[in-house]
Amino acid sequence: MDTDALLLLLATLACVGGVVHAVLALRAGSWKNSRLHWLPLTLAFLLLTGFLYLRGQANGRCPLTTMSEVLIFIGWCIVMMYLLVGPAFRLSLLGVFTAPLVAMLLVLAQVLPPTASPRPARPIIALLELHAAVSLIAYAAFALACVTGVMYLLQERLLKKHQISKLFYQLPPISGLARAIQKLIWIGLLLLSAGLAISFALKIEVSNPKIIMAWIVWGLYALVSLLMWRHVTSPRQTAWLAAAGFAIPFFSLWIVTHG
Amino acid sequence: MDRATAIIPPGSHLVCLGLNYRSTPVEMRERLAFPEEQANVAAAKIYALPGFKESLVLSTCNRVELYATHELADSPEGHEALRRFLAEHFELGEDHLEALVFYRLSNDEAARHLFRVVSGLDSMVLGETEIFGQVKAAYQRALAGETTGRTLNKLFQQAFTVGKRVRNDTSIQRGSTSVGSVAVDLAEKVFDLKQCRVMLVGAGEMSRTCAQSLLSRGAKSIIVSNRSYERAEELATEMGGRAMRFDEWEDALHEADVIISSTSAPHFVIKQDLIERVMRQRRWEPMLVIDIAVPRDVDPAVDKIEGVYLYDIDALQAIADDGRRERQRALSLCEQIIEEHLAKFGFTPSHTPPPPAAGGATTEYSTT
């Protein structure tokens, strides 16, 4: 097995291990805000960094040349974002919900059929690499907003239905989750705006399917931000938008990578 | 009785003489309570008694316990010496002393009792954590006063290990067991308590308890409104809040994150259209409504409004009952952990079922 494939497999196992550990701890009611809970995703982050470095060396460019690499890159961004956001919002439990999403992306990346032929060599344009990387980090922020939205909806349901279970005690307060969703959407929107601004500098045609999809995603989250800012939507509706809205950037990846 | 010779030197006895909330009413317990600064003086006096080698005084609102090691002929002699010490220290008359119900525990039983106390299994609220800190403080004082030695040091350090294990490995401290603590738990899962503003509509005893629980956990402010303005003022002053006339509370409702209602009105006081209007004013920021009144003050239709979480007294009570049941379920695992540690320490495992926890029967008491 190649080193990069081994790193990817180990990263996937770290995520799955993190999920199993968290589920067992939650079922036993022994989940605590311990630094140990950060370990699986930190390990996955390091392994994925190693994988992306090796792929970058092999490709001679940012490792975003195939759908698999894009999924892995997004997975890496999500974990990075989680490691940045989680401690700030004291959301160690966010990892429990993030790990399955990242594990799913990594598994999908491994089962996808390999690209038939490598893309034709083209000169490396640093700005283009930056545009792609920044845009995908924005997608990771939206992914984390989606995960946080799911946590909000779950806790909100438990509160509304008077289901004071083990999970209820472990989940953060809904006001904290609502704040985290807002900030993640704003961070994502800011990054995506930067990515699109770079595309202007690159003079990429606006009719390019990738750019059209990026604008659709930008429009969606700009609308959500506006609704949040004007208090038109309730925190619950915002959580729904954050959770369900991620479907659009997720499926747009297909178009982006095959466009 | 088997002895833990590994920890207790040959010829020595570990004894505990005590009384607690189950054996002694509060008016008698308060008579025997040692103020913090006097606990060490008392421990030093016990230490100075003939035959005594170590001593520690644990005095809380729910219990007074004396732990000691001595080299007297047997444990009962040690218990009797401790009882006489208490009588002299508190200047108790013979009739008063006769009325007191002490538990007299030796060696294995004394160690087991301490482990149960530290773990919160002997507390009024099963699994409560405050006792851990109280025992630790008592031990630190005795350590500083140099009245403890090898046996008590080892015993108490092991007790803290047991207490931590019970807390971490079991669900004995999970969930809320009182209406007040349920209200706090709910508020904590909706808001950041430090930013949380509370409004009392009606100044009943139960709502006061809930509000106090919230304030003690850091709630930001409190408004009290009651039909009798004097009563509202009295309660607001007591809790460091603001009183409001009863015809004004509806206008201020949007300022409150948690509403605790307990009026004696025979009809709904908080209706759906009022809360809908308030939620618009609050721009859909969530609101926790706790209805303690019987008959209910809050129209159940309020619960249908988005962002409003309504809990009536039955719902709160059901959650508290679940919490108590959860803790009861964890009890056997806790006892198992305690027996494991006792065995590790050289004590004989118990062959009889442990005394039931709070609310149940008691440690075997002997009346003096």
Side-chain angles (χ1 to χ4, degrees):
Chain A
M1 185 183 273
D2 292 340
T3 310
D4 56 352
L6 181 65
L7 288 174
L8 183 59
L9 184 67
L10 291 174
T12 312
L13 290 176
C15 288
V16 173
V19 178
V20 172
H21 158 72
V23 169
L24 291 178
L26 285 172
R27 279 176 68 93
S30 59
W31 179 274
K32 296 271 179 355
N33 272 329
S34 154
R35 279 166 197 245
L36 277 179
H37 298 316
W38 304 94
L39 203 64
L41 282 182
T42 308
L43 188 64
F45 177 74
L46 294 174
L47 292 165
L48 287 177
T49 306
F51 169 87
L52 291 171
Y53 173 76
L54 290 179
R55 277 295 171 93
Q57 290 287 312
N59 293 348
R61 65 182 69 228
C62 192
L64 296 169
T65 55
T66 63
M67 182 65 177
S68 295
E69 284 182 357
V70 167
L71 291 175
I72 294 162
F73 189 82
I74 290 181
W76 178 79
C77 292
I78 292 172
V79 179
M80 179 181 68
M81 198 66 81
Y82 160 70
L83 293 175
L84 291 173
V85 168
F89 289 98
R90 295 182 182 179
L91 296 178
S92 78
L93 199 68
L94 183 59
V96 179
F97 292 80
T98 305
L101 176 66
V102 177
M104 187 192 80
L105 289 173
L106 299 185
V107 169
L108 204 60
Q110 286 166 88
V111 299
L112 275 178
T115 310
S117 56
R119 288 183 170 203
R122 56 168 171 74
I124 298 169
I125 306 165
L127 266 184
L128 189 62
E129 306 284 312
L130 186 65
H131 154 77
V134 168
S135 303
L136 288 179
I137 295 173
Y139 279 26
F142 296 142
L144 221 49
C146 161
V147 172
T148 315
V150 170
M151 287 169 74
Y152 180 100
L153 294 169
L154 199 56
Q155 180 71 309
E156 206 266 347
R157 186 179 163 77
L158 294 175
L159 271 164
K160 203 76 174 168
K161 300 280 177 195
H162 300 183
Q163 288 169 346
I164 311 303
S165 59
K166 285 173 188 167
L167 187 59
F168 170 83
Y169 287 109
Q170 308 293 346
L171 281 165
I174 54 170
S175 56
L177 290 168
R179 272 197 305 277
I181 294 169
Q182 282 189 353
K183 294 209 170 152
L184 284 165
I185 288 178
W186 282 331
I187 290 170
L189 190 64
L190 202 69
L191 288 168
L192 191 57
S193 303
L196 286 168
I198 296 169
S199 76
F200 282 126
L202 286 167
K203 295 183 179 152
I204 302 172
E205 280 179 33
V206 179
S207 58
N208 183 319
K210 293 178 188 177
I211 298 297
I212 292 172
M213 280 317 298
W215 275 112
I216 291 173
V217 172
W218 187 91
L220 168 78
Y221 283 98
L223 179 67
V224 174
S225 297
L226 185 69
L227 295 173
M228 286 188 314
W229 180 54
R230 300 293 304 161
H231 293 280
V232 175
T233 50
S234 64
R236 184 168 173 269
Q237 287 164 339
T238 307
W240 267 114
L241 286 171
F246 183 63
I248 294 176
F250 186 78
F251 288 112
S252 77
L253 284 174
W254 187 259
I255 296 166
V256 169
T257 49
H258 290 80
Chain B
M1 185 189 300
D2 288 315
R3 295 275 315 280
T5 49
I7 172 179
I8 305 170
S12 285
H13 304 272
L14 167 68
V15 289
C16 166
L17 181 85
L19 44 81
N20 64 15
Y21 64 96
R22 284 190 297 236
S23 66
T24 313
V26 65
E27 56 271 20
M28 294 179 89
R29 287 204 310 275
E30 62 193 12
R31 175 89 202 273
L32 294 180
F34 289 94
E36 202 178 303
E37 66 280 3
Q38 275 192 28
N40 254 16
V41 177
K45 282 183 183 171
I46 297 169
Y47 186 74
L49 291 173
F52 279 80
K53 297 288 174 195
E54 300 172 82
S55 65
L56 184 148
V57 174
L58 171 65
S59 179
T60 72
C61 54
N62 280 332
R63 68 185 67 245
V64 176
E65 291 177 350
L66 309 178
Y67 290 89
T69 59
H70 65 77
E71 290 180 348
L72 301 171
D74 53 21
S75 292
E77 202 177 326
H79 289 132
E80 191 49 34
L82 290 176
R83 196 180 76 100
R84 279 198 308 272
F85 162 76
L86 278 178
E88 279 172 30
H89 187 86
F90 291 105
E91 297 172 354
L92 302 174
E94 201 55 38
D95 53 337
H96 209 142
L97 197 59
E98 287 299 320
L100 291 172
V101 181
F102 289 106
Y103 36 90
R104 298 154 177 250
L105 308 165
S106 311
N107 303 318
D108 310 49
E109 285 175 354
R112 181 174 293 109
H113 175 75
L114 174 66
F115 289 4
R116 296 187 84 251
V117 167
V118 172
S119 306
L121 306 191
D122 199 53
S123 296
M124 195 181 273
V125 176
L126 181 62
E128 60 102 1
T129 51
E130 204 183 345
I131 187 66
F132 186 93
Q134 289 170 325
V135 176
K136 201 153 196 178
Y139 172 67
Q140 294 294 351
R141 276 196 300 273
L143 195 63
E146 296 180 352
T147 60
T148 60
R150 182 175 169 269
T151 303
L152 286 190
N153 284 339
K154 278 194 165 184
L155 183 72
F156 275 80
Q157 279 154 13
Q158 187 71 4
F160 300 134
T161 305
V162 173
K164 281 180 199 161
R165 227 192 114 189
V166 163
R167 187 172 58 198
N168 293 332
D169 295 357
T170 74
S171 55
I172 195 70
Q173 287 162 0
R174 192 174 311 131
S176 307
T177 54
S178 69
V179 167
S181 56
V182 170
V184 172
D185 277 350
L186 292 170
E188 274 183 337
K189 291 301 172 189
V190 181
F191 313 100
D192 171 5
L193 263 190
K194 288 191 181 94
Q195 304 299 323
C196 184
R197 296 159 300 180
V198 183
M199 179 185 271
L200 293 190
V201 182
E205 188 52 34
M206 186 87 93
S207 60
R208 179 174 158 274
T209 308
C210 285
Q212 263 175 344
S213 300
L214 285 164
L215 287 172
S216 70
R217 294 276 281 269
K220 189 180 172 188
S221 62
I222 187 156
I223 297 171
V224 184
S225 185
N226 194 49
R227 280 189 204 282
S228 154
Y229 185 66
E230 289 70 31
R231 172 72 185 133
E233 267 190 322
E234 190 185 310
L235 198 58
T237 308
E238 185 190 321
M239 292 196 284
R242 174 162 68 97
M244 183 172 280
R245 296 198 181 277
F246 202 70
D247 53 1
E248 291 171 358
W249 68 266
E250 286 188 20
D251 297 329
L253 205 55
H254 67 280
E255 292 173 24
D257 302 305
V258 179
I259 299 162
I260 303 172
S261 187
S262 65
T263 76
S264 51
H267 51 76
F268 293 141
V269 175
I270 299 176
K271 294 182 185 158
Q272 191 177 5
D273 56 345
L274 170 66
I275 297 296
E276 274 170 353
R277 197 172 70 232
V278 166
M279 287 305 281
R280 275 195 294 276
Q281 280 175 292
R282 287 173 65 80
R283 297 185 159 195
W284 307 105
E285 283 300 311
M287 180 184 255
L288 177 64
V289 183
I290 295 174
D291 183 3
I292 302 178
V294 180
R296 289 176 294 176
D297 278 347
V298 186
D299 182 352
V302 161
D303 195 41
K304 290 180 191 145
I305 302 170
E306 192 174 320
V308 179
Y309 306 99
L310 171 64
Y311 285 76
D312 63 22
I313 187 70
D314 282 358
L316 296 172
Q317 200 60 60
I319 295 166
D321 288 346
D322 280 348
R324 277 193 288 271
R325 274 195 291 273
E326 173 79 23
R327 290 182 182 206
Q328 285 292 345
R329 273 197 292 272
L331 202 54
S332 62
L333 181 58
C334 298
E335 300 289 3
Q336 203 178 312
I337 290 171
I338 288 172
E339 292 305 323
E340 263 174 41
H341 280 260
L342 284 168
K344 217 187 281 178
F345 221 26
F347 288 110
T348 313
S350 171
H351 299 295
T352 52
T362 62
T363 310
E364 279 187 23
Y365 299 121
S366 55
T367 313
T368 57

